[in-house]
Amino acid sequence: MQKVLLVGAGQGGTTLLKMLMEIKAMEIIAVVDIEPDAPGMQLAKKLGILTSSEWKPLLSNKINIVIEATGSNEVFEDLLKCRSRNTVIIPGTVAHIISNLINQKENLITALKDITHKHETIFDSTNDGMIVIDDKERVILFNKTAERMTGLKKGDVIGRLIEKMIPSSKLPRILKTKEVEMNQEQVLENGLKIITTRIPIFDDTGALLGALSLFKDITDIVNLAEEMTNLKEIQTLLQAIIQSSDEAISVVDEEGRGILINPAYSRMTGLTEEQVLGKPATADISEGESMHMKVLETRRPVRGVRMKVGPGKKDVIVNVAPIIVDGILKGSVGIIHDMSEIQTLTTELNRARQIIRTLEAKYAFEDIIGASEEIKLAIEQAKLGAKTPATVLLRGESGTGKELFAHAIHNASDRKYNKFIRVNCAAISETLLESELFGYEEGAFSGAKRGGKRGFFEEANKGSIFLDEIGELSANVQAKLLRVLQEKEIVRVGSTKSIPINVRVIAATNINIEKAMADGTFREDLYYRLNRYPISIPPLRNRKRDIPMLAEHLIRKLNQDYGRSIEGIEESALDRLVAHSWPGNVRELENVIGRAMIFMKYNEMEIAATHLPELAQNDEKKSGGKAYPIESAGNQTLAESIEQLEEVLIREALNKHNFNRTKTALSLGISLRNLYYKIEKYNLAK
């Protein structure tokens, strides 16, 4: 029986100890390791095997095999020097292979010979090339990996001299030096670079049996090194881009600690790398919650969140997105925008809009939200009208989207690449409206600009003009507008010269023009010119099935306006919205949703019923259960009934506010000018 000394009781030594215990032909004399608590030492104690921290006192002629499992070249060399002639020194790597192949009843020579016959699968399955020669320098083992690396066939190599088959092989040198050569670089005849370890093989008497070569193809390692170099270059490039970017960038790891900021971030916030890197994501926040932490918790990006950062409480807007690699959250990256710059740009934009009127329509039919039959009918009518040059009259209550339809009609017409001028006839005083619409000549009135001024109709030449609240025009302006529609020409204030124009007129009103005609406040001939292609836009109360779609659209729009990230609206809140009568139509719906979003907390993601203001659920509740005397519909038209109710409501509002017209107009939600018109219309003067 072979007596074995195991040097090294780490993970590898422990594995060898377990394997050796199963081999009946071997007796483990002792286990040696400088660490008394090593796993192999503890196992040896349990098995009743001698343990020691020194191997030299145990090395004697009685020891047949010493297995070196420390992985240290120095220990291996010392063992070779101190061994007796009858002692075989086996490195741990070889011991693993040999221990699996050794036969319990045969000696080492028989085991080596049997390897080529009984255990070829084991050798062929390894990714390391293996070549074994005997003491006559003839190849006795040549696995498939060696075949692939060298390009030689096993049948052509076995039994041949190694130097004839692989002239660059250094295995014959091992037979002479009897020393181990670890991790030697070598180039094969086919140009392949390998790293090899050469080991002499001895029998139990110390006689040299042959030599073993274990080698790896280092081409992959070289390629990997090149890839790492490329990755480092890319990393350097990305860092250069981030550092040179004018966008303030902040990156945190998966625990929310800062790992990267760029100079733009430091300039904006006033914080240095020492104050941010390695610190929690909240370190830079003066007011507001950390969007980095929110993104790390939800794994979802956030956009347009306002907060204040740094010691100077800089007002900023942040966009933060998670960093996910192979499905694993690695951190988050934030882009910070200076609100002062945005506010400056917004101010300049508003100033530009005041100076230069918007000359193109912003909306198309795709922007009109709704799937109800009522709104679809209006859209189809508008699309047909857009393809004709006819004057279009948009009729509908305030807030139904008449201007949106006007934009869409222009964009769908053949004039879409020309100007689109918008005029609110009720917003311009009567004395200025004529000169604004038709322009004026120099000296036409006091304060007139030198050289005169082009009017809106001239500005809109070859394009479209949208006249909102057309029913508010005075009789004089109505006459001039009629001339424009009939003769396709205008006359500036203070001039007698006609100027030909080519303008598509889109008009809109929320009043009963037919009643105004009967009252003599609106010209009948102008009405028939405007009413060539009328389109009725339904109120929101007549298309309540569109409310969920409108709410979703308005939430997305208001998220951008308010810098929020509201995801939707709860079913209970939708029920409350649907139950309301919506006298203010879509404009009122937008106000209600906007007010709800303003008062929501930043961690709330859906609008609930509790966020909505008190809404009248029906007309009875809205009017306090009060009924107004209206004659039977069989005795008068719907328009006449509505006007009768309008007269009653205005009279009550005037009485309530002691005939204070300003307060009355505010309470009714109409313009003061419109109120004066209705007071005169219904003869309600005090």
Side-chain angles (χ1 to χ4, degrees):
M1 181 176 291
Q2 301 295 312
K3 299 186 182 299
V4 179
L5 173 63
L6 178 61
V7 179
Q11 192 66 34
T14 304
T15 302
L16 285 172
L17 178 59
K18 293 177 180 178
M19 295 170 61
L20 292 171
M21 289 300 298
E22 297 177 0
I23 301 175
K24 297 179 181 179
M26 291 187 178
E27 179 185 359
I28 303 173
I29 300 302
V31 177
V32 178
D33 198 288
I34 59 174
E35 295 291 338
D37 294 330
M41 297 287 277
Q42 296 179 4
L43 178 60
K45 291 176 182 178
K46 290 181 180 180
L47 297 173
I49 299 172
L50 177 64
T51 59
S52 175
S53 61
E54 294 287 339
W55 54 267
K56 290 183 179 180
L58 300 173
L59 197 61
S60 65
N61 292 333
K62 294 181 180 180
I63 301 298
N64 302 115
I65 300 173
V66 177
I67 299 178
E68 189 280 312
T70 64
S72 171
N73 288 337
E74 294 180 0
V75 174
F76 187 80
E77 295 292 340
D78 288 345
L79 286 169
L80 288 176
K81 293 177 182 178
C82 298
R83 69 179 177 84
S84 66
R85 180 177 177 80
N86 297 326
T87 303
V88 177
I89 309 298
I90 301 177
T93 55
V94 177
H96 276 294
I97 298 172
I98 294 174
S99 61
N100 286 327
L101 304 175
I102 190 168
N103 189 286
Q104 294 185 3
K105 296 183 180 180
E106 296 183 25
N107 56 28
L108 182 58
I109 297 175
T110 303
L112 288 174
K113 290 180 179 180
D114 287 346
I115 288 174
T116 59
H117 301 291
K118 297 182 179 180
H119 302 287
E120 289 183 353
T121 302
I122 297 176
F123 289 112
D124 289 339
S125 63
T126 180
N127 290 325
D128 291 346
M130 295 181 62
I131 301 177
V132 178
I133 62 172
D134 60 16
D135 57 349
K136 303 298 184 183
E137 301 183 9
R138 297 183 183 278
V139 179
I140 61 174
L141 188 147
F142 198 83
N143 72 349
K144 287 187 177 181
T145 306
E147 283 185 308
R148 177 172 52 81
M149 291 186 187
T150 62
L152 302 173
K153 297 296 183 182
K154 179 178 180 180
D156 298 334
V157 175
I158 295 296
R160 304 285 298 277
L161 291 173
I162 185 66
E163 63 181 4
K164 297 291 185 181
M165 306 309 300
I166 306 177
S168 61
S169 175
K170 302 298 187 293
L171 275 178
R173 185 172 67 192
I174 301 303
L175 297 177
K176 296 176 181 178
T177 63
K178 301 179 181 180
E179 294 181 353
V180 176
E181 295 181 358
M182 303 288 292
N183 302 324
Q184 300 296 307
E185 188 173 338
Q186 180 181 340
V187 179
L188 300 177
E189 281 66 19
N190 58 8
L192 191 68
K193 288 184 178 182
I194 62 171
I195 192 79
T196 179
T197 296
R198 308 181 189 100
I199 304 168
I201 301 174
F202 302 94
D203 66 6
D204 56 355
T205 63
L208 183 65
L209 299 177
L212 165 67
S213 174
L214 298 171
F215 52 95
K216 287 181 177 289
D217 181 2
I218 63 171
T219 305
D220 292 341
I221 299 175
V222 173
N223 293 337
L224 181 60
E226 292 176 354
E227 290 180 8
M228 291 180 63
T229 302
N230 292 336
L231 287 174
K232 288 182 179 179
E233 292 177 354
I234 294 173
Q235 181 182 13
T236 303
L237 178 62
L238 289 175
Q239 287 180 342
I241 293 172
I242 292 173
Q243 295 299 321
S244 62
S245 174
D246 290 333
E247 297 283 356
I249 300 173
S250 167
V251 184
V252 302
D253 60 18
E254 65 273 18
E255 296 180 356
R257 297 190 175 276
I259 58 176
L260 175 66
I261 60 173
N262 65 347
Y265 174 91
S266 297
R267 289 194 299 270
M268 181 182 296
T269 64
L271 297 171
T272 64
E273 290 186 347
E274 291 76 13
Q275 294 173 298
V276 177
L277 300 188
K279 303 296 191 299
T282 55
D284 59 347
I285 299 175
S286 300
E287 293 182 15
E289 63 174 317
S290 171
M291 291 299 104
H292 276 304
M293 299 307 299
K294 183 175 181 179
V295 167
L296 293 176
E297 291 173 2
T298 63
R299 298 170 66 99
R300 302 177 68 177
V302 295
R303 296 282 184 270
V305 178
R306 295 188 63 173
M307 61 175 57
K308 293 185 178 181
V309 297
K313 296 186 177 181
K314 194 78 168 181
D315 197 7
V316 298
I317 287 181
V318 299
N319 298 329
V320 184
I323 302 172
I324 299 176
V325 181
D326 296 332
I328 300 175
L329 183 67
K330 295 294 185 180
S332 64
V333 57
I335 307 296
I336 305 172
H337 302 281
D338 190 347
M339 270 297 296
S340 61
E341 295 181 5
I342 297 174
Q343 290 169 349
T344 301
L345 292 174
T346 302
T347 302
E348 292 177 358
L349 179 60
N350 291 335
R351 188 181 300 116
R353 284 176 173 172
Q354 293 173 358
I355 298 172
I356 304 174
R357 193 172 185 81
T358 303
L359 300 180
E360 60 180 18
K362 298 184 291 185
Y363 308 109
F365 284 114
E366 291 75 14
D367 297 312
I368 302 176
I369 308 300
S372 63
E373 292 300 324
E374 293 82 0
I375 195 67
K376 286 165 69 174
L377 176 60
I379 292 173
E380 289 303 319
Q381 290 177 336
K383 287 181 178 179
L384 289 174
K387 302 301 181 183
T388 70
T391 300
V392 175
L393 178 61
L394 300 172
R395 307 190 64 168
E397 297 178 8
S398 178
T400 53
K402 295 186 291 296
E403 183 170 347
L404 188 63
F405 270 82
H407 282 255
I409 290 171
H410 174 78
N411 270 333
S413 71
D414 55 4
R415 299 172 181 263
K416 64 180 178 180
Y417 297 113
N418 296 310
K419 297 178 182 179
F420 177 75
I421 302 296
R422 291 166 286 171
V423 183
N424 189 323
C425 300
I428 304 174
S429 65
E430 184 177 341
T431 56
L432 293 177
L433 184 59
E434 182 179 354
S435 61
E436 289 292 326
L437 285 175
F438 308 112
Y440 57 82
E441 294 292 338
E442 181 177 346
F445 49 82
S446 59
K449 291 183 179 180
R450 179 176 297 180
K453 179 185 176 184
R454 288 156 54 97
F456 292 147
F457 274 97
E458 287 184 76
E459 290 287 348
N461 194 30
K462 297 183 180 180
S464 303
I465 187 169
F466 173 50
L467 302 176
D468 196 9
E469 299 193 42
I470 192 75
E472 302 296 328
L473 293 177
S474 65
N476 182 43
V477 177
Q478 288 182 36
K480 282 204 168 187
L481 178 58
L482 179 62
R483 178 180 178 83
V484 173
L485 297 176
Q486 289 183 164
E487 307 298 333
K488 303 295 182 184
E489 61 184 23
I490 59 105
V491 178
R492 289 185 177 182
V493 176
S495 173
T496 58
K497 180 182 177 181
S498 298
I499 302 174
I501 59 167
N502 176 16
V503 176
R504 162 76 169 279
V505 175
I506 304 172
T509 182
N510 60 359
I511 69 169
N512 188 338
I513 297 185
E514 291 80 5
K515 179 64 175 176
M517 289 167 49
D519 295 339
T521 59
F522 199 86
R523 293 178 65 105
E524 186 174 350
D525 47 2
L526 176 60
Y527 168 76
Y528 290 118
R529 282 288 180 182
L530 291 173
N531 203 44
R532 182 167 297 175
Y533 197 93
I535 299 174
S536 295
I537 303 174
L540 185 57
R541 62 180 173 274
N542 291 347
R543 58 185 189 101
K544 288 190 175 183
R545 60 174 292 192
D546 294 334
I547 288 178
M549 297 174 62
L550 286 166
E552 183 180 351
H553 169 75
L554 291 172
I555 288 172
R556 288 197 301 268
K557 174 180 178 291
L558 293 172
N559 273 337
Q560 296 179 348
D561 294 344
Y562 297 164
R564 299 297 299 269
S565 55
I566 305 302
E567 296 178 353
I569 183 168
E570 294 181 358
E571 195 69 31
S572 58
L574 273 178
D575 292 341
R576 289 194 63 183
L577 296 180
V578 171
H580 186 49
S581 59
W582 300 112
N585 295 295
V586 180
R587 184 181 292 119
E588 182 186 0
L589 176 62
E590 181 176 0
N591 290 340
V592 168
I593 292 177
R595 189 157 65 249
M597 291 175 61
I598 290 172
F599 290 104
M600 288 177 66
K601 297 179 180 178
Y602 272 91
N603 61 347
E604 294 177 322
M605 304 306 294
E606 286 192 337
I607 298 176
T610 55
H611 298 133
L612 298 175
E614 290 296 327
L615 300 173
Q617 300 302 312
N618 50 57
D619 290 340
E620 182 179 354
K621 181 177 179 180
K622 182 177 180 182
S623 60
K626 185 174 182 179
Y628 293 98
I630 298 177
E631 294 182 16
S632 171
N635 299 328
Q636 59 184 13
T637 65
L638 177 62
E640 291 172 340
S641 298
I642 292 174
E643 288 183 359
Q644 182 181 350
L645 177 59
E646 183 180 57
E647 178 184 351
V648 172
L649 293 174
I650 293 174
R651 181 184 292 109
E652 288 188 355
L654 286 168
N655 290 329
K656 179 180 179 181
H657 296 287
N658 297 320
F659 276 78
N660 184 316
R661 288 168 171 78
T662 302
K663 291 183 179 180
T664 302
L666 287 174
S667 67
L668 293 173
I670 60 176
S671 67
L672 186 59
R673 180 179 176 183
N674 199 8
L675 177 63
Y676 274 100
Y677 163 73
K678 293 181 184 297
I679 290 174
E680 182 179 355
K681 173 182 176 180
Y682 298 122
N683 193 23
L684 298 176
K686 187 175 182 181

